[in-house]
Amino acid sequence: AQRVTQPEKLLSVFKGAPVELKCNYSYSGSPELFWYVQYSRQRLQLLLRHISRESIKGFTADLNKGETSFHLKKPFAQEEDSAMYYCALKRDTGTASKLTFGTGTRLQVTL
Amino acid sequence: DGGITQSPKYLFRKEGQNVTLSCEQNLNHDAMYWYRQDPGQGLRLIYYSQIVNDFQKGDIAEGYSVSREKKESFPLTVTSAQKNPTAFYLCASSILRGRGTGELFFGEGSRLTVL
């Protein structure tokens, strides 16, 4: 069965400090991993996907199949990064985007 | 203003009553989804639909029902058989093919409280 694990419920960092939000997954098929973000009073939205290998708002994430991880990183945290972050795994079944979500990590960036 | 519209935002119901949550999208997406969000549990898939008049059970479909009579609409009924219905419900939509798969567009959610 597929599973996504985010071990930290809350991560508190100072502004300017590096950020790493952890995500591990278990899945027997070919995984597609995503990070979704929910800012205060906003809808849940896609932040980035591993296929694109892009940097969004300074965040990057590399899929490590050996360690089955997809950690989200940013070298210097900003106040506006404070939000709830969800790691998600797309199951390789059919064409629908059936995502399995982790339990989420709240990032708190303080001055 | 394109997007997903869920209604109502807040809903109270007595035990034993069915309640229907509305979800409408004007993004011309083929696929629509219902997720349930509980504290500390993330989002769990209830039902999804890839095409009009067709839908599939997700991971926690028991006690729920859906319909997809129109491409734009995917209402969710929480029946009296759902043992723990108090939760936050999120509707989403997506394309089915192409580079954008995996990107779900979410509504603002509906909070259901059973009294």
Side-chain angles (χ1 to χ4, degrees):
Chain A
Q2 63 282 339
R3 178 178 287 184
V4 175
T5 302
Q6 294 180 252
E8 303 141 327
K9 285 187 178 180
L10 172 66
L11 181 64
S12 187
V13 302
F14 287 110
K15 179 181 176 181
V19 174
E20 183 178 51
L21 299 170
K22 297 188 187 300
C23 172
N24 287 91
Y25 68 91
S26 62
Y27 185 57
S28 57
S30 179
E32 280 187 61
L33 276 297
F34 305 83
W35 277 99
Y36 278 77
V37 61
Q38 187 166 26
Y39 300 103
S40 179
R41 302 181 192 281
Q42 293 187 29
R43 303 175 188 215
L44 190 60
Q45 60 186 288
L46 177 68
L47 179 62
L48 56 78
R49 68 188 85 203
H50 89 267
I51 286 180
S52 301
R53 301 184 66 81
E54 57 197 346
S55 173
I56 304 292
K57 299 185 178 183
F59 284 99
T60 59
D62 291 319
L63 178 61
N64 186 323
K65 291 186 178 180
E67 296 183 358
T68 59
S69 69
F70 188 57
H71 303 327
L72 184 67
K73 299 178 183 179
K74 184 170 182 177
F76 308 104
Q78 302 299 316
E79 281 183 84
E80 56 266 29
D81 296 329
S82 294
M84 193 73 179
Y85 291 82
Y86 292 94
C87 183
L89 164 71
K90 180 174 180 287
R91 293 169 247 183
D92 189 24
T93 53
T95 52
S97 296
K98 293 168 56 180
L99 301 184
T100 297
F101 286 84
T103 52
T105 298
R106 181 167 298 282
L107 175 64
Q108 195 172 63
V109 180
T110 56
L111 297 175
Chain B
D1 186 23
I4 310 276
T5 301
Q6 289 185 240
S7 64
K9 283 190 176 181
Y10 300 94
L11 186 61
F12 296 88
R13 115 174 176 202
K14 293 181 180 179
E15 278 194 31
Q17 290 180 335
N18 292 355
V19 62
T20 298
L21 307 179
S22 169
C23 178
E24 303 278 331
Q25 57 102 354
N26 61 5
L27 299 169
N28 199 33
H29 286 167
D30 288 303
M32 296 188 74
Y33 313 80
W34 274 105
Y35 281 89
R36 171 180 170 140
Q37 189 174 29
D38 295 284
Q41 294 198 49
L43 282 73
R44 293 180 290 167
L45 183 64
I46 304 173
Y47 267 99
Y48 68 100
S49 168
Q50 299 184 83
I51 194 170
V52 173
N53 292 324
D54 184 60
F55 46 83
Q56 306 295 327
K57 292 182 179 180
D59 302 313
I60 56 166
E62 185 175 350
Y64 299 98
S65 66
V66 293
S67 63
R68 187 85 186 279
E69 297 178 2
K70 298 186 301 180
K71 186 176 184 178
E72 303 80 18
S73 179
F74 192 42
L76 173 74
T77 297
V78 184
T79 75
S80 56
Q82 168 50 234
K83 294 178 181 177
N84 188 18
T86 294
F88 190 63
Y89 293 88
L90 282 169
C91 180
S93 70
S94 77
I95 64 172
L96 276 181
R97 294 172 182 80
R99 193 174 183 276
T101 57
E103 180 170 8
L104 300 186
F105 291 80
F106 284 90
E108 293 183 311
S110 294
R111 185 168 297 281
L112 172 63
T113 302
V114 175
L115 304 173

